[in-house]
Amino acid sequence: NIEGNSVPGATVVLHQDGSISSSTGKPTDSSLRKTDITDSNGRAEFTYKLPAILRVDVTKIDGNDTLTNNLNNIILLKEKTVTKIITIN
């Protein structure tokens, strides 16, 4: 969160929804969409076989408060582990 604490139980979605391929001009592959819930350390893990540029949406509902951050992208590289820290508020 904005105080630097990890956030367990947040929903993390990686996707290309609404994106248009620059090479084909067509909508991107919706099957790339994956969802996970952060663990006790505030981490979510996803596995993709091919490189991709994906949107990262994070949401945490805490009582009557909804914490979000839907303004991030992640670039996945072939045969590499990529880590991204997202701050929600």
Side-chain angles (χ1 to χ4, degrees):
N1 64 13
I2 59 174
E3 297 168 354
N5 300 315
S6 61
V7 180
T11 301
V12 180
V13 181
L14 272 57
H15 65 88
Q16 288 185 329
D17 296 358
S19 298
I20 303 296
S21 170
S22 61
S23 62
T24 66
K26 296 180 180 180
T28 54
D29 188 352
S30 63
S31 69
L32 295 175
R33 183 182 187 88
K34 293 186 181 183
T35 302
D36 196 13
I37 305 297
T38 56
D39 64 16
S40 60
N41 296 312
R43 293 178 158 262
E45 293 187 12
F46 301 87
T47 301
Y48 287 87
K49 292 183 180 183
L50 298 173
I53 299 173
L54 302 172
R55 301 261 320 167
V56 182
D57 296 341
V58 182
T59 304
K60 168 70 177 185
I61 297 173
D62 188 12
N64 291 329
D65 296 325
T66 300
L67 308 173
T68 62
N69 187 325
N70 301 325
L71 303 173
N72 289 280
N73 292 322
I74 189 167
I75 299 172
L76 305 180
L77 305 171
K78 187 175 182 177
E79 299 180 5
K80 300 283 184 187
T81 298
V82 179
T83 301
K84 178 128 184 161
I85 297 173
I86 307 289
T87 301
I88 60 175
N89 54 17

